[in-house]
Structure formats: structure tokens, C-alpha cells
Amino acid sequence: MTGAQTLFDGLLVLLLVILAWVLLASKDLFRAIVLFISFGLLLALAWLRLKAPDIALAEAIIGAGITGALLLVGLGRLGSAVRCRPLPVRTTPLQRLSAPLLVGLLLPSIAAVVLVELFTLPIVASGQIKLVAAHLEHAGVDHPVTAVLLNFRGYDTFLEMGVLLLAVLSIWSLDRARHPFARDQIPAALLTLQRLLLPLLILVAGYILQRGAQGPGGAFQAGALLAAGIILAALCGHRLPPGHQGLLLRLALSCGFTTFLLAAAVTLARSGVPLLYPEHLAGSLILLIEIAATFSIAFLLAAAMAGGHPVPEAKPTAIDERKSA
Amino acid sequence: MSVSVLYAGGGTLLFFIGLHALLVYPHLLRKILAANIMGSGVFMVFVALGARSSDGVTDPVPQAMVLTGIVVSLCFTAVALVLAVRIHRLTGCTTFVQDQEAAGD
């Protein structure tokens, strides 16, 4: 029993390491990205083996799914060819030696030291499990990971919403959104898939969100699923109406962060400690923050996927109308 | 228990494979992929070391932090890709190199 499990774990780790090497070394970047997506799915399996189903869900949706889609869009814009190789520069023999020395000798030796250090760590260590379990009954939720994410270390999630918001702001300041398909080029299979998947994605996202209080699931996974739905709808030619691209979109993007900020301000005023929820309100407060965060994460991830600030579509629609008229 | 050392070791290898690729390959997209693999390696070490308890429960604190980390690494990927596309548009290069050869292309 344990022998077979250890064999499985060993093979999985070996496969992950080989896959990482092969995908990074593969000549064709498209192949590399497809392998990266399968790497993400195998990694999700590894998370399950490490008894972390929350991370497995997030890895499958975000790590493999959305990151993979992002990379494919990026490949479409950049191209696979290496343009501008470094020019050969006159160097001394010692300088020429330094790069292979660094990569070939220093990296493996640091890796070896870290690996040896791993084996000197205590075999059994319970970390913070007992501490979390002791405070779980006051947390307002029954699932330890959700309790850590939204109560005990709520500031982590709060600041992470800030990081997401900042990322989208910097993306907006660098480029404008581009759509992969023109309206008349959308594949019919994609439209059918969207009709089947979109309601299912919304339903599953809702389930995962409310499930987070008792078991694996929560705002991240639900938000990422909703984001996948929005991305799918955008691929199928659905656009935000021009009137909704201004304040409404910005409100949707920032509502997770602002809800957290409000909760922090109110708790600071009440008890002097930000994000220390009163025990009888903790459950409802967490649910409220999670709903806002889910909504926000969905729009933030989809905005990151669009690759730039929204372009007012007034002109193209006017042309479309003239065409159809 | 020994399984967690196995996964932590695998995570360490992933980190160094990623770091190696980050240094060796010039294409920007490959560097972004490499940084993602490095991140996955760090997450794996973190969670694997949290999975050493005797009662078979994985420490929820590293789990929560890795969940946050996965979203942050997606942010990194998205911003890095937009920057790479910008570099490509301004210089015509898909690498960090911008010198005479770039002007000639």
C-alpha cells in the first residue's frame, strides 16, 4: 500500500522535473506552452497528494488554465523566433569562462547544498496546525484554509487584491485591449462550447464560493472560474457595453479591495485592530468579503487577459451598423 | 513523512531548472515560463514542508500563502507579457538585447 504510494509519488515528482526541463528546452515555444499547461495539471495532482485540494483547484484553474491561455495569447503577439541575438563581444578568457562556470558549477552546487539541507530537517513537524485548530471555532468558518485566508491572515488576501489591482493598472497603462478574433471569424465550435459552458461555469463558481466555508474552495477558485467564463464570452465576441467601460468597470475591478479596506477601517475603529472581526459577525463578514472578492477577481483576471485598457468601441460599432445597414 | 521530503526535493530541482533556463535562454517568453516554473518549485517546497505532521493534515498557513502566491504569479505573468509585447513593438526584438543588430533588422 504505502510502497505503491511512494512509487506513485516518486514517479510523479520525476515526471514533473523531466517535464519542466523538456518544456523549457523545447525548440518550439508553442509546444513549450502546451507542455506547461500539462505541467500545471500534473502539479495539481501533486497538490492533491500533498493533501492541499484548495491549491490543486487553484492550480488547475489559474496555474494551468488562465496562465496557459495568457501565454498562448502572448506567443501570438511575440512570435516564436529569437530576434536580436547578443552580438559576439571581445572578452578575456576569464570572462568567457564566467557564464558556464556560474551556470554549470555554481547552480548545481547551490542546489546540492539546499537538497542536503532538506534531509537534515525534522521528519515530523506540525507547524501552525495546532494554533489554527485552536482558534478555528472563533473564525466564523469551518475550513482551516479559508479561516487563514480571510480571518487569521486576512491582510495577506487584502494586499493580494491590491497586487491584482496594481497589476491591472500597470497593464492598462502600457497597452490597449486587443481581441483575438474579429466578430465574423469566431469559430462555430467555440460559440457552441460557450453556450454549454457559460451557465455551468457560473453555477460551479457559485457552488465553490459557498463551499469554501466548510471545505476546499472559496473566493480565489470561484473568481478564477468566473474569469474563465468572462474570457470565454469575450472570445465569442461579447463586449462590455460602452457605457459600462468607465466607472462601472472600475467599480467591479476594485470592489474586492474596497470592501476589504472598509472592513479593515470599521474593525480598526471598533476594536483598534484592523481585520479583527467580532466573533458573532465573523461568518457573515467573511462571506460578504468573499463575494466582493470573487466578483473582483473575476473581472481583474479577465482584464489582465485582455492585455490592456478597454478601448471605447463607439467607432467600430458605428462602422458595423453602417455595414449592416 | 518521507514523501514530503521527496516533494520538497522535487520542488528544489524545479526551482533550479527554472533559474537555469532563466539565465540561459534569450527569448522573453521562455524567461517568463522559466520564472513560472521557479515559482511552482518554491510553492512545492513550502507546502511539502507543511505536510510533515504526524496526523496526515497539511499545515493550512502555507496552503493559504501558496494560494495567494499562485494569484500573484499570474499577475507577474500578465504584466511581464505586456512588457514583453511592448519591448517587441518598440524594438522588434524578442530578447533583452538592443544594439546595432536590432537596428539592422
Side-chain angles (χ1 to χ4, degrees):
Chain A
M1 175 78 179
T2 44
Q5 278 177 353
T6 313
L7 185 69
F8 179 79
D9 288 325
L11 280 177
L12 184 59
V13 170
L14 192 69
L15 197 60
L16 278 171
V17 169
I18 292 174
L19 201 56
W21 182 268
V22 169
L23 85 88
L24 288 171
S26 83
K27 281 222 167 64
D28 180 15
L29 263 175
F30 178 74
R31 187 165 167 255
I33 295 172
V34 172
L35 285 177
F36 178 78
I37 295 172
S38 43
F39 173 83
L41 291 175
L42 276 177
L43 197 59
L45 200 60
W47 296 130
L48 276 183
R49 289 293 301 143
L50 286 168
K51 299 188 186 71
D54 294 85
I55 309 178
L57 266 174
E59 183 74 49
I61 307 170
I62 303 176
I66 296 184
T67 308
L70 253 177
L71 288 167
L72 284 175
V73 172
L75 177 65
R77 286 176 193 166
L78 281 175
S80 193
V82 177
R83 302 240 173 77
C84 318
R85 284 186 180 281
L87 286 179
V89 198
R90 265 178 201 286
T91 44
T92 61
L94 203 65
Q95 278 175 325
R96 266 196 299 272
L97 256 177
S98 61
L101 212 65
L102 177 76
V103 173
L105 214 68
L106 200 60
L107 268 189
S109 22
I110 300 174
V113 170
V114 175
L115 280 175
V116 169
E117 277 301 306
L118 274 182
F119 284 94
T120 64
L121 291 172
I123 295 172
V124 176
S126 54
Q128 317 249 1
I129 296 173
K130 289 198 180 96
L131 196 65
V132 171
H135 293 273
L136 196 57
E137 55 177 317
H138 309 294
V141 286
D142 301 329
H143 185 49
V145 178
T146 309
V148 173
L149 265 178
L150 285 139
N151 198 337
F152 304 150
R153 289 184 66 96
Y155 49 89
D156 265 0
T157 313
F158 171 42
L159 291 178
E160 188 234 330
M161 297 302 303
V163 170
L164 261 170
L165 202 58
L166 264 179
V168 168
L169 275 183
S170 38
I171 290 171
W172 277 18
S173 61
L174 282 169
D175 207 345
R176 62 187 181 82
R178 278 156 224 277
H179 302 295
F181 298 124
R183 265 172 208 273
D184 45 353
Q185 292 178 339
I186 302 161
L190 193 63
L191 287 171
T192 315
L193 186 73
Q194 169 226 356
R195 254 175 243 131
L196 290 173
L197 270 187
L198 215 49
L200 202 65
L201 278 173
I202 294 170
L203 190 71
V204 175
Y207 171 74
I208 285 186
L209 173 63
Q210 70 88 29
R211 181 81 197 125
Q214 301 100 37
F220 290 100
Q221 296 89 343
L225 268 183
L226 270 188
I230 297 176
I231 292 166
L232 189 62
L235 280 178
C236 291
H238 294 284
R239 303 279 178 269
L240 280 177
H244 293 176
Q245 288 184 352
L247 187 64
L248 265 180
L249 178 61
R250 282 158 180 79
L251 277 178
L253 290 174
S254 60
C255 72
F257 186 74
T258 41
T259 310
F260 245 122
L261 195 63
L262 274 178
V266 171
T267 45
L268 181 66
R270 264 187 59 115
S271 59
V273 185
L275 295 176
L276 179 72
Y277 314 133
E279 202 181 317
H280 60 287
L281 283 178
S284 355
L285 261 174
I286 287 177
L287 187 65
L288 183 74
I289 291 175
E290 275 205 300
I291 291 172
T294 304
F295 195 63
S296 227
I297 287 172
F299 277 93
L300 284 165
L301 294 185
M305 183 80 194
H309 60 82
V311 197
E313 267 204 297
K315 277 176 197 164
T317 40
I319 293 165
D320 282 348
E321 276 162 15
R322 246 172 277 149
K323 264 185 199 164
S324 57
Chain B
M1 291 175 290
S2 65
V3 166
S4 93
V5 177
L6 180 73
Y7 279 100
T12 312
L13 285 180
L14 286 181
F15 177 84
F16 282 101
I17 288 172
L19 185 57
H20 169 260
L22 188 72
L23 295 173
V24 166
Y25 297 113
H27 197 291
L28 291 171
L29 198 63
R30 217 178 278 269
K31 284 187 192 289
I32 296 173
L33 271 173
N36 265 299
I37 301 271
M38 283 171 75
S40 301
V42 173
F43 297 154
M44 203 151 151
V45 174
F46 202 13
V47 175
L49 292 184
R52 286 178 298 163
S53 80
S54 48
D55 46 359
V57 184
T58 302
D59 194 344
V61 176
Q63 282 194 60
M65 289 168 88
V66 167
L67 266 179
T68 315
I70 287 177
V71 178
V72 171
S73 75
L74 177 77
C75 291
F76 154 77
T77 309
V79 174
L81 273 172
V82 172
L83 283 173
V85 169
R86 181 112 180 135
I87 288 176
H88 179 55
R89 191 166 311 135
L90 291 182
T91 66
C93 294
T94 53
T95 63
F96 279 130
V97 186
Q98 301 168 32
D99 34 28
Q100 303 94 308
E101 204 192 29
D105 269 342

